[in-house]
Amino acid sequence: MKISDPNTSAAATSAHQSSRVPAAEVQGRGAAGRSGAAKSDQVQLSSLGSSLKSLAADSADRQSKVSQLAATYQAGNYRANAHAVGKSVISEALAK
């Protein structure tokens, strides 16, 4: 059984953005705000949120193409290109 901790892997570290805030700037927050030691808080934000946001805002061209395909499919006139689908599936599998 393999257990991967995303907090310690190199891929997770490079996929996250880090920001450090000196404890002196965070006042009134526990011992770090009261002590004179140079402690810091750390915040990590993944890039997944921005990726999902960009996917949600599809271009007008893509929205019209999807609408056209949906109408064609609902009318029963959509015919998939078996050669193109097969080529795409194999290319995707080989890329991984």
Side-chain angles (χ1 to χ4, degrees):
M1 182 167 105
K2 181 178 178 182
I3 298 175
S4 298
D5 185 1
N7 295 322
T8 59
S9 71
T13 304
S14 64
H16 291 84
Q17 301 169 348
S18 295
S19 175
R20 293 192 180 270
V21 179
E25 292 179 18
V26 183
Q27 297 179 0
R29 291 198 170 196
R34 292 188 298 262
S35 70
K39 295 183 180 181
S40 66
D41 292 334
Q42 184 176 0
V43 176
Q44 293 182 343
L45 304 174
S46 74
S47 59
L48 179 62
S50 61
S51 297
L52 291 175
K53 186 177 180 180
S54 68
L55 289 175
D58 286 336
S59 68
D61 292 337
R62 179 165 173 76
Q63 288 177 353
S64 76
K65 184 175 180 180
V66 169
S67 296
Q68 182 182 14
L69 284 171
T72 303
Y73 178 78
Q74 288 175 348
N77 297 326
Y78 180 76
R79 300 289 179 249
N81 182 340
H83 178 70
V85 171
K87 185 177 178 180
S88 179
V89 167
I90 291 172
S91 295
E92 182 71 23
L94 292 175
K96 293 182 180 181

